[in-house]
Amino acid sequence: VYTLTGTINEESFGDMGNKTYTLSELVDIIGSVTEETTVATPESLVAAVAAGGKVKLGMSMTLDEPLILSNDVSLNLNGKTLTGTFREACIKSSGNLSISNGYITNVGGAVLTTGGTLNMTDCKVTMTGSYRENAVEITGKTQAEITGGWYKATGTLAAGEATDWYGIGIVDGTCMVGEYAKIH
């Protein structure tokens, strides 16, 4: 048997009741803790999100291509800005995605989901181009929870075109406020 002391990810084992654990229980506890991978280049960001898990921006960066995610990713923007310069969404996800604490801006959409879950907390998201794109587009039965921040589509269309874009777009009737999407 083993007794745990200290902290992992700022959580004290003392908060777990100062109890004694078997080796298999320890493996379960420690194995379930995933450290954040801090990235400082677009290339390291692409590699980190491809691996999945917790990813933290170490600096603001501009992407050369969209991030395409099919796994579980928790992206801590760390107060930094993730910028795209392309029509497509900066982040396209069909997995479980959490984004927090920072800025995403692109000439096209910023975040597009096609399934899984989306949790966004304290994000500032802007679509700035002249395309019909939502800053955040939730599709494909995505379950979404968005808390804090702001979400803007500020582009300008050519004369006569409809301005049918939104800061948050829920498409195909698959996400409903109260059942699938919560916007605080």
Side-chain angles (χ1 to χ4, degrees), residues 37-155:
T37 300
T38 301
V39 297
T41 66
E43 296 79 17
S44 62
L45 175 59
V46 169
V49 298
K54 296 178 181 181
V55 179
K56 179 179 177 179
L57 290 186
M59 59 182 291
S60 294
M61 60 185 71
T62 300
L63 297 174
D64 295 327
E65 59 188 57
L67 294 174
I68 300 175
L69 314 172
S70 60
N71 51 8
D72 296 349
V73 175
S74 176
L75 179 58
N76 177 355
L77 298 170
N78 191 30
K80 310 292 188 249
T81 301
L82 186 61
T83 302
T85 58
F86 34 85
R87 180 185 169 122
E88 299 176 77
C90 268
I91 301 171
K92 297 177 179 182
S93 176
S94 60
N96 298 316
L97 175 62
S98 295
I99 306 172
S100 64
N101 188 31
Y103 302 83
I104 303 172
T105 184
N106 187 27
V107 295
V111 178
L112 170 65
T113 64
T114 58
T117 62
L118 173 66
N119 292 295
M120 296 185 76
T121 305
D122 296 326
C123 294
K124 286 87 177 166
V125 179
T126 308
M127 189 287 295
T128 61
S130 58
Y131 308 108
R132 284 192 188 136
E133 300 288 341
N134 299 311
V136 176
E137 188 164 326
I138 301 165
T139 68
K141 296 189 179 182
T142 301
Q143 295 182 22
E145 184 166 345
I146 298 174
T147 307
W150 43 258
Y151 304 84
K152 298 187 218 178
T154 61

Side-chain angles (χ1 to χ4, degrees), residues 21-44:
Y21 298 87
T22 66
L23 184 56
S24 65
E25 288 172 323
L26 277 177
V27 169
D28 288 343
I29 292 167
I30 294 170
S32 69
V33 176
T34 304
E35 296 293 325
E36 267 183 337
T37 300
T38 301
V39 297
T41 66
E43 296 79 17
S44 62

